Amino acid sequence: MSTDTPQVTEIAKFNELGLIPPLLARLTELEYQQPTPIQAHAIPSILAGRDLIAGANTGSGKTATFALPLLQKLFKEQGEKSSTNHSGNYVSALILVPTRELAKQVADSVRSYAVHFNGQIKTVAVFGGVSANTQMLALRGGTDILVATPGRLLDLITSNAIKLDRVKTLVLDEADRMLSLGFTEELSALLALMPKASGPTPKQTLLFSATFPEQVQALTAQLLNNPVEIQVQNSDTSTLVQRVFTVNKGQKTALLASLIKQHQWSQVLIFVNAKNSCEHLAEKLSKRGISAEVFHGDKGQGARNRVLEAFKAGEVEVLIATDIAARGLDIEKLPVVINFDLPRSPSDYMHRIGRSGRAGEVGLALSLIDHEDYHHFKVIEKKNKIRLEREQVKGFEVNEALVASLIESLPATDKPMAKPEGTGKKKAKKKRETISSVNADIWSGYSKPK
Ligand code: AMP
């Protein structure tokens, strides 16, 4: 794969990126003062027709990065032909995303950037969880831009509601997430239905991914033709403060409630790992006088939309969610994200915390860890190349004896350190060392409570 990374030495202005007046006017209305780094790097290359692979943090302005040049190209083509692009049941630009919410959000952004095109560019969003009929109707006569989740799109293709043979631009947004959510087969099936990069009507492919696991690399090699490669470093999350609070097992809820009450955050997004954990935690908080809403995959689409809108509008202050909310949801100025349960994968940690401190806003990402999380958090840190100081909150200091006894009670294989070997006195001594070294690690980096 040949790649090149364009250098942008000075902060560019939007009017230096080659964008046309109707888009520039919209950006002024939206009060976008200057392009984010990924926009400055990528927009000229996309306008020039290059394939692109971009590694960017969430909240980096990815949507505008692909939406603006895409809209510009479609608008110009229509001007040249004096007619709309879409016809039959074809689509010109396809944006594939991993979740329903993201599909809706991206389509809304695209429409918002296109307001000065006077409805000339048709954008449709299709995703599961709602009736396919309305989406079929929307697709009648084709569409210029289609934002879709892979599963529903395949269903609609099977029912002949849409065809992909004339796709000119393909955007894979959050490619890593799409693959981790098990869309690999759907993605292959969809790709097989589109023109090839090297065929008679080559298509342009833009791939965005926060992380680059093997599956994404394979996709990249298979899909992209001499792409421009852009890796935007952490500058966009520099306003995000990450902290870790250690707490005794069984005291997380009390600590969480105390933090919420003490800090009176206007909005806080709390992540747990299971749907029923959302409900349990909401109940427990409610008993402590804190009302919270839940957001997870078992809720109907209508309910999910309502909760999200209420949270965005500030009507709901505490939202407890599974990882379904970790990707791509753009909640303006979200001040705090809390990991009540640690995410299973280190990359999910980055996606979760990316919900806060977006587009230059100051944000706080807080992880609450008890001793059972301790080892896993180290893995998360290592993989993400971060190292955070363990802190304790007054009134919730960690009980060393309790930690030691809890470690003792774990089956040997679950202990955070290797099972001590040896017998008799030697074994006992080794056991003590294991516990004390675990404790030493737990305490390292912060001061012990008096
Ligand atoms: P995204 O990464 O696309 O989800 O965008 C994150 C947020 O940043 C959205 O609320 C955008 O409206 C906003 N945004 C995107 N580009 C800019 C920009 N150049 N200046 C200010 N805000 C922006």
Side-chain angles (χ1 to χ4, degrees):
M1 181 174 81
S2 112
T3 60
D4 54 88
T5 306
Q7 296 297 317
V8 175
T9 40
E10 282 177 34
I11 296 171
K13 298 197 179 79
F14 273 116
N15 63 11
E16 293 167 348
L17 302 182
L19 293 169
I20 53 177
L23 292 173
L24 291 174
R26 183 62 186 146
L27 296 174
T28 308
E29 284 166 9
L30 290 172
E31 296 179 356
Y32 288 11
Q33 313 278 354
Q34 63 188 49
T36 63
I38 189 170
Q39 289 163 356
H41 283 83
I43 289 175
S45 302
I46 302 176
L47 283 173
R50 296 287 303 271
D51 277 6
L52 174 105
I53 173 164
N57 293 312
T58 48
S60 57
K62 275 188 298 173
T63 317
T65 302
F66 59 77
L68 296 171
L70 222 141
L71 283 166
Q72 173 153 332
K73 287 171 137 203
L74 289 165
F75 185 71
K76 280 192 153 182
E77 279 173 24
Q78 293 193 4
E80 279 155 22
K81 290 195 301 190
S82 321
S83 67
T84 55
N85 261 347
H86 59 268
S87 61
N89 46 1
Y90 294 102
V91 51
S92 293
L94 175 63
I95 304 168
L96 288 175
V97 296
T99 63
R100 303 160 189 181
E101 283 75 21
L102 197 56
K104 203 171 157 292
Q105 186 178 295
V106 167
D108 287 346
S109 298
V110 171
R111 290 189 194 108
S112 158
Y113 294 132
V115 285
H116 296 304
F117 290 157
N118 304 321
Q120 248 173 283
I121 307 288
K122 182 174 169 188
T123 303
V124 176
V126 299
F127 44 85
V130 290
S131 141
N133 286 343
T134 328
Q135 297 175 352
M136 282 183 184
L137 277 178
L139 287 172
R140 274 217 185 135
T143 181
D144 295 302
I145 300 179
L146 179 63
V147 189
T149 53
R152 174 54 62 93
L153 178 56
L154 272 176
D155 293 345
L156 290 165
I157 292 169
T158 312
S159 346
N160 278 326
I162 195 81
K163 289 200 178 97
L164 302 186
D165 349 11
R166 293 193 195 164
V167 169
K168 287 190 196 136
T169 312
L170 168 67
V171 179
L172 293 168
D173 193 11
E174 313 234 346
D176 50 348
R177 179 65 163 179
M178 244 176 322
L179 294 169
S180 76
L181 283 177
F183 285 129
T184 316
E185 278 173 24
E186 277 97 337
L187 220 47
S188 307
L190 289 170
L191 292 170
L193 297 170
M194 286 177 234
K196 302 277 163 289
S198 54
T201 48
K203 78 170 184 302
Q204 182 183 26
T205 303
L206 315 172
L207 186 145
F208 294 82
S209 196
T211 55
F212 289 89
E214 261 172 40
Q215 279 179 304
V216 176
Q217 288 173 29
L219 199 63
T220 306
Q222 175 200 342
L223 273 185
L224 302 179
N225 182 19
N226 189 24
V228 171
E229 186 179 277
I230 294 171
Q231 182 69 45
V232 177
Q233 289 309 330
N234 278 337
S235 58
D236 299 301
T237 50
S238 59
T239 51
L240 179 71
V241 178
Q242 299 175 54
R243 295 178 73 176
V244 193
F245 290 169
T246 49
V247 60
N248 285 324
K249 192 172 161 54
Q251 281 200 297
K252 267 195 194 181
T253 312
L255 172 59
L256 177 67
S258 157
L259 289 169
I260 294 173
K261 283 183 180 162
Q262 185 191 343
H263 295 282
Q264 307 229 307
W265 290 306
S266 55
Q267 280 168 306
V268 49
L269 177 60
I270 302 165
F271 282 105
V272 293
N273 283 346
K275 295 164 193 167
N276 59 4
S277 311
C278 289
E279 310 287 350
H280 284 157
L281 186 56
E283 257 171 52
K284 287 200 228 158
L285 287 180
S286 154
K287 284 188 188 143
R288 291 171 186 269
I290 296 166
S291 80
E293 291 285 344
V294 297
F295 185 88
H296 55 66
D298 271 0
K299 296 208 104 182
Q301 192 57 40
R304 267 157 74 171
N305 290 346
R306 276 194 300 280
V307 167
L308 199 61
E309 288 312 315
F311 187 58
K312 281 185 179 184
E315 292 152 20
V316 167
E317 288 169 2
V318 181
L319 185 64
I320 306 170
T322 56
D323 276 296
I324 202 164
R327 287 266 179 162
L329 291 190
D330 180 25
I331 300 159
E332 227 174 305
K333 298 180 191 162
L334 185 53
V336 190
V337 167
I338 298 184
N339 286 314
F340 186 84
D341 291 339
L342 285 181
R344 288 186 190 102
S345 86
S347 60
D348 278 344
Y349 174 83
M350 296 313 283
H351 290 298
R352 283 183 179 188
I353 69 171
R355 302 302 97 214
S356 184
R358 312 204 77 198
E361 298 294 334
V362 176
L364 171 67
L366 203 60
S367 298
L368 307 184
I369 61 170
D370 64 31
H371 79 279
E372 283 177 357
D373 302 318
Y374 152 81
H375 182 69
H376 185 45
F377 196 75
K378 272 194 127 176
V379 175
I380 290 175
E381 286 184 312
K382 198 168 163 217
K383 286 272 180 278
N384 290 316
K385 300 191 175 62
I386 49 173
R387 172 76 188 131
L388 304 175
E389 188 186 335
R390 273 52 169 171
E391 298 175 72
Q392 293 185 65
V393 179
K394 211 162 177 281
F396 294 92
E397 289 85 358
V398 176
N399 177 337
E400 272 188 88
L402 178 66
V403 170
S405 70
L406 283 166
I407 290 174
E408 269 300 85
S409 67
L410 286 176
T413 46
D414 288 348
K415 287 189 173 128
M417 300 273 296
K419 187 181 167 194
E421 281 160 21
T423 50
K425 269 188 191 165
K426 201 173 157 200
K427 184 176 174 183
K429 185 166 174 265
K430 279 244 179 162
K431 211 168 202 175
R432 272 200 303 279
E433 276 171 8
T434 306
I435 294 161
S436 67
S437 61
V438 169
N439 286 336
D441 250 340
I442 287 175
W443 291 112
S444 73
Y446 53 84
S447 51
K448 278 189 185 187
K450 301 268 167 337

